[in-house]
Amino acid sequence: MAKQAKNPKDTYTIMTELVLPNDTNPLNNLMGGRLMHWMDIVSAIAAQKHCNRIVVTASVDNISFQHPIALGDVVTLEAKVTRAFSSSVEVHIVVKGENIPSGKKYPSNSAFFTFVAVDQSGRPIDVPELIPETEEEQELFDGALRRRQLRLVLGKRMKPEDATELKSIFKLDE
């Protein structure tokens, strides 16, 4: 049975948290580990929306820490699937902070997580195709194959010479 293709809007997930004292480091900023935990949750929900299945975290790309989030600030995490492969999906997460009393909103973090959809026995299963609709979605979709190949090469699951998308970036075939 073929799975019905979906668009990224079907997977869009928002999660909001308040930074409490137990979430902070000695500088009264949100601990990176707590943020990564929240990022894993929101991206897993987006992946499950796409797959209609249980998903497990397969990899986490570079998490960029651009701006600390202070005690008492609100954290908004936005996640959506950028591309589906045979049994895996890539999810892009954008994190923003907000100091409500001052009205200041600021970008804080971003990352790409990869999830694998599994059956009841924990074995990978096929996932629906993703169809990008906007220019931004198409850009993320196109870049996902390069990011996937990089992950596979770095994880020693693909030979660098087989990473055709990566070679095209550096024009190594010329």
Side-chain angles (χ1 to χ4, degrees), residues 67-140:
H67 191 284
I69 301 175
L71 173 65
D73 282 2
V74 171
V75 182
T76 302
L77 304 99
E78 300 174 7
K80 68 179 172 183
V81 174
T82 58
R83 188 157 184 171
F85 296 97
S86 58
S87 61
S88 66
V89 293
E90 179 190 80
V91 180
H92 184 231
I93 305 99
V94 174
V95 179
K96 298 173 186 169
E98 179 179 6
N99 181 284
I100 292 176
S102 72
K104 180 183 172 197
K105 294 180 182 181
Y106 51 92
S108 177
N109 304 75
S110 63
F112 290 95
F113 281 49
T114 303
F115 292 86
V116 174
V118 295
D119 64 16
Q120 293 83 348
S121 301
R123 290 186 296 264
I125 58 171
D126 289 342
V127 300
E129 179 184 357
L130 183 85
I131 301 173
E133 294 181 337
T134 68
E135 192 173 316
E136 178 191 6
E137 291 168 357
Q138 187 65 50
E139 193 174 305
L140 287 166

Side-chain angles (χ1 to χ4, degrees), residues 11-29:
T11 70
Y12 188 70
T13 304
I14 298 177
M15 188 167 111
T16 305
E17 297 285 344
L18 176 65
V19 180
L20 299 171
N22 198 41
D23 302 322
T24 63
N25 61 26
L27 298 174
N28 282 329
N29 290 320

